[in-house]
Amino acid sequence: MLTLCKGEFSVERDDDRCIRCLVCVRQCPFDVHKYDEEEDRIYSDESKCVGCQRCATLCPTDAITIRYEPMEMKENANWKTYHLTNIYKQAETGGVLLTGMGNDKPYPIYWDHILLNASQVTNPSIDPLREPMELRTYLGRRPDLLDIEDGDELILKTEISPQLKLELPVMFSAMSYGAISLNAVKSLARAAAIAGTYYNTGEGGLHKDLYKYGKNTIVQCASGRFGISPDYLNAGSAIEIKIGQGAKPGIGGHLPGEKVLEEISETRMIAEGTDALSPAPHHDIYSIEDLRQLIFALKETTAYEKPVGVKIAAVHNSAAISSGMVRAGADFIVLDGLRGGTGAAPLVTRDNVGIPIELALASVDQRLREEGIRNKASLIVAGGIRSSSDVIKAIALGADAVYIGTAALVALGCHLCQKCYTGKCAWGIATQDPYLTKRLNPEIGTRRLVNLLKAWSNEMKELIGGMGINAIESLRGNRLQLRGVGLTDTEYRILGILPAGE
Amino acid sequence: MQKIAYKKDISGCAVSGILNTNGKKINGRYIIRSIANMHDRSNGLGGGFAAYGIYPSYKEYYAFHLMFDDLNARERCEEFLDKNFLIEKDEDIPTRKINTTADPPILRRYFLEPREEKLNKISEDDFVIREVMKINSDIEGSYVFSSGKNMGAFKAVGFPEDVGNFYRLEEYKAETWIAHGRFPTNTPGWWGGAHPFALLDYSIVHNGEISSYGINKRYLEMFGYRCTLLTDTEVVAYLFDLLVRRHKLPMKIACKALAPPFWDEIDRMPEKEKKVMKTIRTVYGSSLVNGPFSIILGFKDGMLALNDRIKLRPLIAATKKDFLMVSSEEAGIREICKEPDKIWSPKAGEPVIGLIGKGVVEEG
């Protein structure tokens, strides 16, 4: 059938600059570039280009420019090119449209409407280059109070639940081996170990080479239960039950059989070549009391030595659900917002389901405080955290820590072409093709991630020092350090912040 | 009274305190001289004192100091008091007319005992706190500025020496005095906004601005406190009440929650101590008071002084025989004690604690 869709990108090649080295031909997994030996010329099939910028970045003579040039239709406020091309594709295939990464639609991004405070005169700002500035964060369940006996020496009579220690309040989100390459997972694991934080296995099990990073690992238990064994559960420092994901709330996952190669098959404990299907709900969790049973089954398995948390997608009722999860025994809860990424999701779900993380975070933190149970669980947020200032704003709204997924992949080279679901990632990240995965050197990947965390750490210290704060816990939930611009009264109320000028 | 317009307290200040660790009584004129010698640290928009051991004949009763905007407020409030307390005695707080304190409200004191029938399922102290909060937030034009036993707070708009003169403090003798001179930058002159802030037998004077206010307040709200005044000092007083009275933490541990050691110090501590400190910081992270402060806390057994953990506001301590003196400046001490036995600058985040009958137990 003739496709009615035009490619989204144009490929411009400066023939004076091109030296026919064929880097672009070899690098493009989408077969855009073809060399014609007879003519000594490279032709580009623009319709296949996904805009990943791999060829343009690696071209040694800067001969290639990739430009975003979607099909330009007669202007129509209702029928955008987005809708037309989607309909063409569906008319041609009859399928559910897939996509990768997070929601890219122009829903409000509240981080960009929130400004931070700084100290002037009455309260000195603190210079992080001269004074200690603390970002260390502990995650886990806390009692309301401590019983300490004072005598010749202090005797602590309260034993507190196991805690995770983070040198900065940023962790790497759940991304499974399968969704991303082993080299990408190795980069995340090593970087987490060096930076003193955690990465998350996602639902892909734990590859045998990664057990040694267990101290910096959060192992996930998702609806497919892939790769879960007592060894796996005990290998990490914490366990996360995944109920939902911001990019696709309410639905499960699907790793196609062609990606289930030998090592993935071994890690996930499923036969080679079979589809790895994660059901939409856990088949043993149909309500909150079932969640409690799973939480305690996992705690029993790990002898109550590890925090067990629960991750949900941010949805309308997040506040009530979170309260239930804390009461069900979760030591930390993770909220994944509307803009959270994914390796593959139906376009219609990714673009239309869930709520912005900022609003979910504000309402959950407030709700848990009103119920007097905020200290019983730590609150981690994920989904579209782009910079150190987003992290600071999230913490001031009430988060204990954040997860970054997309930002970490970008540090590894991702250019957000959103084609993860094709398994052809030109940057060697979201692929299992050995020809492509070797493009990501885990040594270099580690260094890039460690650099990112170091840079963010330094920036966060500057920001909190500017507010006259020298320990991150004094920022947590400290919404007076935030002011909003350009929001409605309702949004100010939900975020619990004042407008700038007040 | 401008309770509503009264926004978050931003002020520089002078603080001073004297304690006799053998419980000998000290005349009020000394503390006035001490705080007056730091005149330039205040701007005339607030001064105040707290004194302990001043009502020995009524020491079993909660001594409420109240200010009323008008007779109407007084009537409403007295009706409320009568419903909830047996009033042993009530009288005007003695004052003298001076030119510098403008528009005094009606100032009254009441010696009270909670009515027996009101106390089911609630301790006397918790009941008193609840009633104080009710009066302050619900009875318009009434404000309780002191509610402990055998102690009292005295405060007003004005320079502290004028406030001391106004309240005739030279007629009182106390084992502990604390004092405050205020330099607010953004608040209207409201008598209730002056320091000390007092709750039960805790009274607190404070020089500083708390950058963690937003979270300290939300943390306290989880435990039922209502921070109606939006002042930093109120928050510090509630934190002490929560940690020491309700959670029963030793006072020096409460200080570690308010001004904890840095993580790299904790990492170097011996194993046992490390575990205690780590747990305190983990559990009480939201009660860390960040930003510059020096505070003096008066309580029935003594006096405590504490700096923020990087000492961004001044605090000096001195001893002479059985006297402990703390002050924003050495000048505040030398004025009343030319040759102290010992004078020192307490370390950041380390409390100075003097206890009646026990002496100076922590030197900071």
Side-chain angles (χ1 to χ4, degrees):
Chain A
M1 203 189 296
L2 174 69
T3 177
L4 305 185
C5 302
K6 176 190 164 293
E8 288 180 288
F9 295 89
S10 72
V11 179
E12 290 165 21
R13 180 183 303 276
D14 184 337
D15 218 42
D16 291 341
R17 288 192 178 189
C18 179
I19 53 170
R20 311 294 191 263
C21 67
L22 308 191
V23 161
C24 51
V25 177
R26 287 190 299 273
Q27 290 292 327
C28 182
F30 297 94
D31 298 327
V32 171
H33 308 289
K34 282 255 161 50
Y35 180 58
D36 187 318
E37 231 166 309
E38 263 171 49
E39 289 184 46
D40 186 30
R41 224 183 127 157
I42 300 170
Y43 288 96
S44 303
D45 179 355
E46 297 181 330
S47 70
K48 292 177 176 165
C49 179
V50 301
C52 75
Q53 303 286 347
R54 177 80 185 178
C55 58
T57 310
L58 266 70
C59 174
T61 58
D62 267 344
I64 303 174
T65 307
I66 307 291
R67 265 185 233 288
Y68 180 52
E69 272 182 8
M71 179 162 56
E72 248 184 87
M73 310 296 297
K74 179 175 166 52
E75 194 172 301
N76 189 318
N78 190 40
W79 295 94
K80 300 272 172 67
T81 304
Y82 169 80
H83 301 108
L84 299 185
T85 45
N86 288 348
I87 289 176
Y88 294 146
K89 283 183 201 161
Q90 292 179 311
E92 286 157 21
T93 63
V96 170
L97 298 173
L98 287 181
T99 187
M101 303 315 286
N103 191 320
D104 60 2
K105 295 287 160 284
Y107 295 107
I109 298 169
Y110 290 98
W111 306 131
D112 298 338
H113 290 267
I114 295 175
L115 295 167
L116 299 169
N117 193 27
S119 296
Q120 300 287 291
V121 184
T122 56
N123 182 346
S125 44
I126 305 169
D127 183 347
L129 296 177
R130 292 160 197 271
E131 303 281 351
M133 199 56 67
E134 301 185 311
L135 298 178
R136 190 187 291 182
T137 300
Y138 284 88
L139 302 179
R141 174 171 290 255
R142 285 101 199 238
D144 287 345
L145 57 94
L146 288 179
D147 188 359
I148 296 177
E149 203 176 272
D150 194 11
D152 293 339
E153 59 173 12
L154 297 167
I155 302 161
L156 181 65
K157 292 180 151 178
T158 317
E159 265 310 313
I160 70 166
S161 312
Q163 307 278 319
L164 293 181
K165 174 177 153 189
L166 282 64
E167 290 301 342
L168 77 167
V170 179
M171 304 188 288
F172 298 128
S173 284
M175 290 178 278
S176 71
Y177 170 43
I180 58 173
S181 66
L182 189 58
N183 282 349
V185 182
K186 279 182 181 164
S187 306
L188 293 165
R190 289 181 195 171
I194 293 169
T197 182
Y198 297 82
Y199 83 103
N200 187 311
T201 60
E203 59 172 320
L206 190 60
H207 188 273
K208 54 187 184 300
D209 291 354
L210 297 168
Y211 272 74
K212 59 177 177 254
Y213 303 109
K215 205 172 137 284
N216 297 90
T217 306
I218 296 176
V219 295
Q220 205 177 52
C221 171
S223 61
R225 304 284 156 88
F226 297 118
I228 293 182
S229 66
D231 282 350
Y232 167 79
L233 293 172
N234 279 290
S237 285
I239 301 170
E240 179 179 286
I241 297 169
K242 178 199 168 184
I243 300 292
Q245 181 179 346
K248 40 180 173 176
I251 63 172
H254 177 186
L255 187 71
E258 49 271 31
K259 282 194 186 172
V260 183
L261 306 175
E262 190 190 340
E263 288 191 71
I264 291 186
S265 135
E266 189 188 337
T267 307
R268 295 205 173 204
M269 303 176 187
I270 53 173
E272 224 175 302
T274 51
D275 286 5
L277 290 163
S278 302
H282 286 244
H283 283 325
D284 52 1
I285 301 180
Y286 281 77
S287 186
I288 193 79
E289 62 272 20
D290 298 336
L291 176 67
R292 184 178 175 83
Q293 292 200 21
L294 180 59
I295 289 173
F296 281 90
L298 294 172
K299 287 188 178 183
E300 286 287 338
T301 312
T302 51
Y304 295 85
E305 282 166 357
K306 298 171 199 300
V308 175
V310 184
K311 174 180 179 176
I312 57 165
V315 290
H316 304 178
N317 264 338
S318 293
I321 298 164
S322 298
S323 161
M325 297 193 305
V326 176
R327 292 175 194 282
D331 298 314
F332 60 90
I333 55 183
V334 184
L335 300 170
D336 193 11
L338 182 67
R339 289 183 297 272
T342 178
L347 183 72
V348 66
T349 303
R350 187 198 73 171
D351 287 357
N352 295 286
V353 184
I355 62 170
I357 191 60
E358 301 91 328
L359 302 180
L361 161 60
S363 59
V364 169
D365 175 66
Q366 183 57 27
R367 177 67 164 267
L368 296 181
R369 285 181 186 282
E370 282 164 10
E371 297 188 13
I373 54 173
R374 177 62 183 84
N375 52 326
K376 297 210 188 302
S378 295
L379 185 51
I380 302 161
V381 298
I385 303 281
R386 305 157 298 175
S387 61
S388 59
S389 62
D390 288 354
V391 181
I392 288 294
K393 290 169 188 176
I395 289 174
L397 275 181
D400 288 274
V402 307
Y403 266 137
I404 56 168
T406 302
L409 298 190
V410 170
L412 290 175
C414 168
H415 279 59
L416 279 173
C417 71
Q418 310 187 14
K419 290 292 184 286
C420 327
Y421 64 96
T422 63
K424 290 183 183 173
C425 176
W427 296 90
I429 301 167
T431 177
Q432 303 304 326
D433 178 346
Y435 180 70
L436 298 172
T437 56
K438 71 180 180 202
R439 292 179 183 185
L440 177 63
N441 176 330
E443 297 291 334
I444 295 169
T446 302
R447 215 182 315 148
R448 295 183 68 93
L449 288 166
V450 170
N451 281 342
L452 176 74
L453 294 181
K454 186 175 158 222
W456 283 20
S457 256
N458 287 337
E459 289 178 347
M460 287 191 274
K461 288 176 178 180
E462 291 288 349
L463 289 174
I464 65 169
M467 295 178 209
I469 286 174
N470 59 11
I472 194 83
E473 58 260 48
S474 294
L475 180 70
R476 188 173 311 126
N478 190 346
R479 297 186 188 173
L480 281 180
Q481 298 294 344
L482 304 176
R483 288 293 188 274
V485 280
L487 298 174
T488 65
D489 284 355
T490 309
E491 288 164 325
Y492 285 118
R493 176 176 56 77
I494 295 168
L495 290 168
I497 64 173
L498 293 168
E502 259 186 38
Chain B
M1 220 178 273
Q2 306 181 43
K3 267 190 212 170
I4 291 154
Y6 194 76
K7 286 273 180 154
K8 186 173 174 290
D9 184 27
I10 296 182
S11 57
C13 304
V15 293
S16 188
I18 320 174
L19 159 77
N20 183 286
T21 55
N22 283 322
K24 280 186 245 160
K25 298 285 171 84
I26 307 158
N27 188 291
R29 70 168 70 92
Y30 294 99
I31 191 74
I32 297 176
R33 274 171 56 197
S34 166
I35 198 80
N37 206 32
M38 299 183 284
H39 181 89
D40 284 359
R41 298 187 71 88
S42 333
N43 66 358
L45 288 179
F49 301 82
Y52 288 80
I54 53 173
Y55 301 130
S57 346
Y58 296 97
K59 64 176 185 217
E60 305 304 325
Y61 299 92
Y62 291 94
F64 274 37
H65 288 192
L66 272 129
M67 49 182 78
F68 303 112
D69 280 359
D70 49 44
L71 286 171
N72 223 327
R74 175 177 163 185
E75 208 170 289
R76 279 198 309 268
C77 187
E78 285 185 342
E79 201 178 302
F80 178 87
L81 288 176
D82 193 46
K83 237 186 269 171
N84 295 290
F85 298 91
L86 296 169
I87 302 174
E88 176 64 18
K89 180 184 166 71
D90 67 299
E91 62 187 3
D92 288 341
I93 298 175
T95 55
R96 65 165 61 92
K97 273 207 165 58
I98 59 166
N99 294 331
T100 42
T101 43
D103 297 334
I106 301 168
L107 296 161
R108 299 271 301 162
R109 66 185 166 209
Y110 302 83
F111 295 94
L112 306 171
E113 185 186 340
R115 286 187 182 274
E116 197 65 50
E117 67 269 23
K118 300 276 177 188
L119 289 180
N120 50 8
K121 291 190 201 152
I122 185 167
S123 77
E124 267 200 359
D125 283 349
D126 283 331
F127 174 76
V128 170
I129 289 182
R130 199 181 69 192
E131 300 311 289
V132 167
M133 287 189 176
K134 265 191 215 159
I135 296 173
N136 289 352
S137 55
D138 301 344
I139 305 183
E140 216 188 308
S142 304
Y143 179 63
V144 182
F145 62 103
S146 185
S147 53
K149 287 178 177 172
N150 200 13
M151 61 81 67
F154 304 89
K155 59 188 186 182
V157 173
F159 282 101
E161 55 272 27
D162 299 332
V163 175
N165 190 19
F166 173 77
Y167 280 107
R168 300 157 64 159
L169 294 187
E170 75 283 356
E171 295 171 9
Y172 294 83
K173 284 182 168 182
E175 59 249 16
T176 307
W177 283 98
I178 64 171
H180 188 258
R182 217 170 152 226
F183 199 132
T185 53
N186 71 339
T187 56
W190 173 49
W191 282 48
H195 301 196
F197 181 86
L199 181 75
L200 293 178
D201 76 333
Y202 293 116
S203 63
I204 193 149
V205 291
H206 161 241
N207 170 17
E209 185 187 334
I210 298 173
S211 34
S212 57
Y213 177 83
I215 184 56
N216 299 144
K217 171 177 176 282
R218 295 181 78 212
Y219 175 68
L220 287 164
E221 282 166 354
M222 260 180 46
F223 294 95
Y225 293 89
R226 281 193 277 175
C227 301
T228 48
L229 290 178
L230 296 175
T231 75
D232 292 352
T233 316
E234 181 188 30
V235 153
V236 177
Y238 291 162
L239 285 172
F240 271 106
D241 184 65
L242 177 70
L243 270 49
V244 178
R245 189 180 63 83
R246 285 174 59 184
H247 290 182
K248 304 194 166 33
L249 291 180
M251 206 152 245
K252 69 176 181 211
I253 294 298
C255 291
K256 290 298 166 203
L258 264 59
F262 286 92
W263 285 117
D264 58 359
E265 276 172 71
I266 295 175
D267 290 345
R268 290 194 301 268
M269 287 175 179
E271 218 41 56
K272 259 190 188 164
E273 202 186 344
K274 187 198 289 185
K275 192 177 166 195
V276 177
M277 283 303 160
K278 182 192 143 186
T279 310
I280 292 169
R281 278 199 74 170
T282 314
V283 173
Y284 288 106
S286 301
S287 63
L288 193 161
V289 179
N290 220 309
F293 69 82
S294 45
I295 54 175
I296 305 175
L297 175 78
F299 50 101
K300 70 174 188 301
D301 306 315
M303 180 172 82
L304 175 152
L306 181 70
N307 259 140
D308 63 85
R309 55 202 211 120
I310 51 175
K311 204 163 172 106
L312 293 170
R313 289 285 156 95
L315 184 69
I316 304 286
T319 50
K320 174 88 176 181
K321 292 184 188 148
D322 51 359
F323 289 94
L324 169 66
M325 291 156 284
V326 287
S327 174
S328 292
E329 294 179 17
E330 200 171 326
I333 292 170
R334 298 275 182 194
E335 168 67 17
I336 51 171
C337 175
K338 290 241 159 352
E339 295 293 333
D341 296 338
K342 189 177 168 195
I343 185 157
W344 74 97
S345 182
K347 286 194 207 102
E350 304 273 341
V352 178
I353 302 178
L355 296 177
I356 292 168
K358 291 192 181 152
V360 178
V361 293
E362 296 285 334
E363 291 204 341

